[in-house]
Amino acid sequence: MDAGGGASSSDARKVKKRSFDQMVFVNRTVTMEDIQCYGFDMDYTLAVYKSPDYESLGFEMIRDRMVSVGYPRELLSYTYDPSFPTRGLVIDTTSGNLLKVDSNGNILVCSHGFRFLKGRDVHDYYPNKFIQRDDTDRFHVLNTLFNLSETYFYSCLVDFFTRCNRYTNLPKGFQHGDLFMSYRSMFQDVRDTMDFIHDTGILKERTIKNMEKYITRDPNLPVLLSRIKAVAKVFLATNSDYSYTEAIMNYLLENKPTLGGEKKSWRSFFDLIVVDTKKPLFFAEGTVLRQVDTDTGKLRMGTYTGDLHAGTVYSGGSSDVICDLLDVRGKDILYVGDHIFGDILKSKKRQGWRTFLVVPELTKELQVWDQKKSLFEELKRLDVYLAKLYKHLDSGSQECPDIRTIQTRMKVLTYRMDMSYGQMGSLLRSGARQTLFASQLLRYADLYSSACINLLHYPFNYLFMAPPVLMPHESAAQHAADLALSELACTNNMVMGRN
């Protein structure tokens, strides 16, 4: 739900109506007047990478690296298809399947390579259409936007080896002579390759060489940070190293000086800057806090134990150190990030920070929802109809309603809705059922929006008010009360009409 409250009626008349893609949505009430400190991640939060160009770059680097270390050259024919992957998918490293599940592990969508499995095929792999999500040795959740490239390449691998007649398909991988390629080893190779292109800096080098192609430069970002800094403390906490952070933030925040004015350093927008944070470890015990020499990018020896100094950049540390240096605690802080696990879940569970999740996919989700909401409305009507069929049955009832036609129609509607978003469907739902990603968003993100820049559309004393949520028994009681009021109103109208 979009926020409510916060501004006076006279101020509200002056504010233009926000479009859907400018809105901030609320899971738990946040009084912005109480926020004393704002924290920001960099990648995919302040630095918005252009999709699908950036995912395509990552895919090509993974693909080329995998071929260079011995994978078949035929893989070079694959190109990135943005319509296939979405965040929040689960890779089954035993069977090679890509799964979309709900919060309990119930399977919503299942694919093997690019072949989508239905009915009996899914049952053969998962007899209960269910997975044990806590079996993290077998099931790996791919929650970040950086994961999209590797998600798609893993599907390419499974697709290639499944169709290549040189390899024999086995339950846990592929055989070629005395060589066995397991789904697990393939997944580990993709993970290692993704780590390689990040750790060696080759992806960052390509990004810096062509920032206009890969990064959105929003002229309102300096405006937002300046306005926040006028009312609260601001810090940057990123897993990126200093040299990359310097290049990206320079590009985003340092404009040419106006006539007679001075050029403003990007570091001046923040009270505290911490690089190499190693989140999510940052939200637990953390690492050694060191000062960064901003002239050379090198770290100074020893653990930093002094006070906070303007313009100083630090490396490592922990969320506790952030609180100490800025003299803020828990709910004083609103932390803005894109990583549901590394940024939002851990900062919420371990520190009690208020959280703002950036969900760039929300722009498309809202567009499709607006265009296809009639399908969802029909799904809801069918749900109500099914409920009515069973409403007056009890343990003595012998008849069993035939609902096969209704169930078939509901499956058709769900499929049509899913395909409107992409091959794997919506990030947040499958028909009327919410995904694992959606359940985590609802549980751990106090606020969420398609971009952090949308904070610019709200005053900093705003009251983001969460809607009241009724439990099923409360909804039933409320529905009964509403019916009684409706019947009373009808009776009164009839009496008045007679008079």
Side-chain angles (χ1 to χ4, degrees):
M1 180 177 179
D2 182 32
S8 69
S9 57
S10 59
D11 289 338
R13 285 194 294 268
K14 299 175 185 177
V15 178
K16 292 181 180 178
K17 185 176 180 181
R18 303 176 190 93
S19 62
F20 278 131
D21 60 351
Q22 293 176 331
M23 289 180 179
V24 173
F25 300 93
V26 190
N27 290 324
R28 276 164 297 282
T29 297
V30 177
T31 306
M32 297 297 279
E33 199 168 16
D34 294 339
I35 300 299
Q36 299 176 29
C37 181
Y38 292 75
F40 291 89
D41 181 31
M42 184 178 77
D43 297 308
Y44 280 110
T45 300
L46 294 178
V48 180
Y49 296 103
K50 295 180 181 178
S51 182
D53 290 339
Y54 202 62
E55 292 80 30
S56 182
L57 172 65
F59 171 83
E60 290 167 8
M61 297 185 79
I62 295 171
R63 179 197 64 194
D64 295 351
R65 171 70 182 173
M66 293 282 281
V67 170
S68 74
V69 298
Y71 274 77
R73 291 191 62 78
E74 293 99 318
L75 289 167
L76 295 173
S77 65
Y78 285 92
T79 56
Y80 185 72
D81 180 0
S83 73
F84 182 80
T86 186
R87 278 198 289 172
L89 300 178
V90 178
I91 286 183
D92 180 350
T93 62
T94 297
S95 66
N97 293 330
L98 193 60
L99 306 169
K100 184 176 176 180
V101 302
D102 67 13
S103 60
N104 296 312
N106 297 302
I107 295 170
L108 306 174
V109 180
C110 175
S111 74
H112 190 77
F114 299 124
R115 183 171 71 91
F116 286 86
L117 308 182
K118 303 291 183 182
R120 175 53 58 185
D121 291 333
V122 177
H123 185 270
D124 289 343
Y125 283 108
Y126 316 98
N128 295 314
K129 291 192 71 177
F130 168 84
I131 64 169
Q132 292 281 354
R133 283 205 304 112
D134 56 358
D135 183 1
T136 54
D137 186 52
R138 175 178 177 179
F139 299 107
H140 292 263
V141 184
L142 301 163
N143 264 337
T144 77
L145 288 157
F146 282 120
N147 288 145
L148 292 176
S149 302
E150 60 184 300
T151 301
Y152 187 69
F153 187 74
Y154 186 76
S155 295
C156 292
L157 285 180
V158 175
D159 176 70
F160 171 77
F161 286 114
T162 300
R163 295 190 299 108
C164 183
N165 56 22
R166 299 197 305 272
Y167 296 85
T168 302
N169 282 254
L170 298 175
K172 294 187 177 182
F174 308 95
Q175 190 81 37
H176 177 53
D178 58 0
L179 172 68
F180 176 66
M181 296 280 296
S182 71
Y183 292 116
R184 180 181 297 277
S185 66
M186 288 162 50
F187 172 73
Q188 193 57 55
D189 286 345
V190 176
R191 281 267 71 230
D192 290 345
T193 302
M194 191 67 180
D195 289 341
F196 174 84
I197 68 173
H198 279 281
D199 295 344
T200 59
I202 57 175
L203 176 62
K204 294 171 183 174
E205 288 174 12
R206 292 280 296 274
T207 305
I208 291 172
K209 284 180 180 177
N210 204 343
M211 286 194 280
E212 287 190 4
K213 180 178 181 180
Y214 296 124
I215 302 175
T216 300
R217 188 176 188 178
D218 192 329
N220 284 319
L221 183 58
V223 177
L224 172 65
L225 293 175
S226 295
R227 289 182 182 177
I228 292 176
K229 200 163 185 286
V231 297
K233 297 172 182 176
V234 189
F235 70 87
L236 174 68
T238 174
N239 281 356
S240 293
D241 59 60
Y242 176 71
S243 60
Y244 184 68
T245 303
E246 166 86 6
I248 298 301
M249 298 311 292
N250 254 320
Y251 177 72
L252 293 175
L253 296 177
E254 292 198 11
N255 300 314
K256 293 179 180 178
T258 56
L259 187 64
E262 293 184 6
K263 186 177 180 181
K264 191 174 181 181
S265 166
W266 71 268
R267 295 197 296 272
S268 67
F269 288 93
F270 302 96
D271 295 286
L272 174 63
I273 299 160
V274 188
V275 299
D276 294 313
T277 54
K278 294 181 171 56
K279 291 175 286 184
L281 184 64
F282 178 77
F283 292 108
E285 63 270 21
T287 57
V288 173
L289 181 73
R290 301 181 190 275
Q291 267 189 286
V292 177
D293 186 329
T294 55
D295 293 326
T296 65
K298 293 181 179 180
L299 304 182
R300 293 179 177 170
M301 296 298 294
T303 301
Y304 182 77
T305 58
D307 295 328
L308 177 66
H309 296 288
T312 303
V313 179
Y314 303 88
S315 171
S318 68
S319 49
D320 288 331
V321 171
I322 291 272
C323 293
D324 290 341
L325 286 172
L326 292 173
D327 192 26
V328 288
R329 291 289 177 270
K331 291 183 172 56
D332 297 342
I333 300 171
L334 178 68
Y335 187 67
V336 186
D338 69 286
H339 193 326
I340 191 72
F341 183 78
D343 289 325
I344 303 304
L345 185 153
K346 292 300 180 183
S347 63
K348 170 64 68 178
K349 289 183 71 173
R350 292 185 173 177
Q351 294 292 344
W353 291 2
R354 309 313 302 265
T355 52
F356 182 120
L357 182 65
V358 175
V359 189
E361 302 97 327
L362 204 57
T363 300
K364 182 180 179 181
E365 292 275 334
L366 287 165
Q367 289 171 350
V368 174
W369 182 260
D370 189 50
Q371 295 165 3
K372 302 294 181 179
K373 59 188 173 187
S374 60
L375 298 177
F376 187 74
E377 291 301 322
E378 186 177 349
L379 267 177
K380 286 204 302 184
R381 288 195 296 271
L382 291 175
D383 268 338
V384 171
Y385 181 71
L386 281 177
K388 286 182 178 179
L389 286 178
Y390 288 91
K391 184 176 181 180
H392 299 295
L393 302 183
D394 60 20
S395 58
S397 302
Q398 299 297 315
E399 69 270 24
C400 182
D402 186 354
I403 61 173
R404 288 173 295 180
T405 302
I406 298 173
Q407 288 177 319
T408 299
R409 177 59 181 166
M410 292 177 80
K411 287 179 181 177
V412 170
L413 289 170
T414 297
Y415 177 78
R416 287 175 60 190
M417 279 192 70
D418 282 352
M419 290 303 98
S420 300
Y421 293 95
Q423 295 181 57
M424 274 288 176
S426 165
L427 171 69
L428 303 172
R429 65 171 58 250
S430 180
R433 299 164 70 184
Q434 291 177 339
T435 63
L436 170 61
F437 188 94
S439 68
Q440 292 176 323
L441 183 156
L442 289 168
R443 185 174 180 183
Y444 297 113
D446 296 323
L447 309 174
Y448 67 99
S449 186
S450 60
C452 67
I453 200 69
N454 287 339
L455 283 170
L456 200 58
H457 303 294
Y458 297 84
F460 296 112
N461 62 352
Y462 202 80
L463 175 61
F464 285 104
M465 181 71 75
V469 178
L470 298 179
M471 294 182 69
H473 68 282
E474 295 168 329
S475 296
Q478 183 63 44
H479 181 63
D482 290 343
L483 281 177
L485 285 173
S486 178
E487 290 173 0
L488 179 62
C490 287
T491 302
N492 289 338
N493 287 337
M494 289 174 64
V495 171
M496 292 293 290
R498 289 171 185 163
N499 293 337

